[in-house]
Every structure is written in structure tokens, then in C-alpha cells.
Amino acid sequence: MTMEPSAPSPAQWLERAANGGLAPAQFRLGGMYEKGIGVRKDLRQARRLYLAAAAKGNAKAMHNLAVLLADGGSNNPDYVGAKKWFLKAAENGVRDSQFNLAVLNARGMGTPQDVQSAYVWFAIAAQQGDSEAAKKRDELNARLSGEQMKAAKST
């Protein structure tokens, strides 16, 4: 009896496409490695794939890469790297990145504390329907001087 070769798994198909440089495949395969879906969980591999897709302009990959960097995996968060990728994703309209960037700015994580910039990013996320961002924006409103508020609103 001859055995038919088994068809490639979804992860194998994605790996072929990712190795071919397709950013959507790199993003999807990165998610599989991040969560351990269809493959063994491997955050290093997820980070590598997200970086490849992010470098090609995939905004969701930018966000996911930033989350992995901020999390650090082994109590070694890279807030500077996370801020860089949250900013790129935020500028590409990713609401969760806008919120997370605001948090980093408000807390001074990976950047000097900048409440005015945090206000701006919370306001942008709030405009996209993020109710938690609206609450945070309003909390920061009380901490900004009239001059800072004027500058923030003109941004």
C-alpha cells in the first residue's frame, strides 16, 4: 500500500508565503507563533515575523510587535522599542496603539513623561470610539495648564 503525501498544514502554507516576503502571511504566522496555534508557541519567532511584516508597512504587525516588546516576555520590557512601533502603528490609525502610546507617554515609559502628548493620543483614540481613552483624556485635562491644553488641541 502506498501512502499519499499529506497536504501541508495551514502553518506550512503560511510559512511558504512568509518566506516569500508576503507581509500578510508574516503577520498571520507571527500570530500563530505568538499564541501557539497550529505551531509550538515561540515568541522569538513571532517577534521576527512581526518585524518583517511591520518593516513592509503592516500596521497590525507594528502593533503586535510593540505589544511583545512592551511585555518583554522575561521581565525585560523594551519600552523604547515598543514606543517606536506603537507610534508607527498609531500614525497608521491603529486605535489600540494610539491608546498604548498615550499610556507610555503619560507614565514616562521608554520616553520622558509627556502628559501633553499623552492627552493628544488619548484624544485621537477617543475620536475613534475608545471610551477608556476618552476617560483618560478627561483625567489628563485637569493636569494640563491652559497653555499646554491650547498646544495639545492645536496638534
Side-chain angles (χ1 to χ4, degrees):
M1 169 162 45
T2 60
M3 293 192 62
E4 293 288 322
S6 61
S9 70
Q12 290 169 323
W13 281 114
L14 279 174
E15 188 168 5
R16 289 178 185 177
N19 289 340
L22 295 174
Q26 292 166 332
F27 168 70
R28 295 249 184 245
L29 187 58
M32 292 173 76
Y33 276 109
E34 180 183 2
K35 296 170 182 75
I37 298 171
V39 295
R40 178 181 292 143
K41 185 174 180 172
D42 184 340
L43 295 180
R44 177 178 282 149
Q45 187 74 323
R47 195 173 9 248
R48 182 187 70 76
L49 288 159
Y50 286 150
L51 179 59
K56 291 181 179 78
N58 186 300
K60 291 179 182 178
M62 292 173 190
H63 174 79
N64 287 11
L65 175 61
V67 169
L68 287 180
L69 292 171
D71 181 48
S74 61
N75 292 332
N76 191 21
D78 175 4
Y79 294 122
V80 172
K83 181 185 181 214
K84 171 188 168 184
W85 288 107
F86 279 139
L87 177 60
K88 288 179 181 281
E91 289 172 340
N92 279 284
V94 179
R95 183 175 70 187
D96 288 344
S97 284
Q98 294 163 348
F99 183 92
N100 291 345
L101 179 60
V103 169
L104 292 180
N105 283 320
R107 295 181 182 169
M109 299 166 74
T111 184
Q113 186 177 33
D114 185 348
V115 177
Q116 183 176 319
S117 179
Y119 175 90
V120 169
W121 285 110
F122 280 135
I124 292 169
Q127 287 174 344
Q128 291 195 58
D130 188 319
S131 60
E132 185 63 25
K135 289 178 193 173
K136 297 287 187 189
R137 175 203 59 209
D138 295 345
E139 289 171 11
L140 289 181
N141 187 23
R143 294 176 51 191
L144 293 174
S145 69
E147 190 65 30
Q148 288 174 311
M149 183 56 68
K150 183 178 178 182
K153 289 186 176 183
S154 70
T155 304

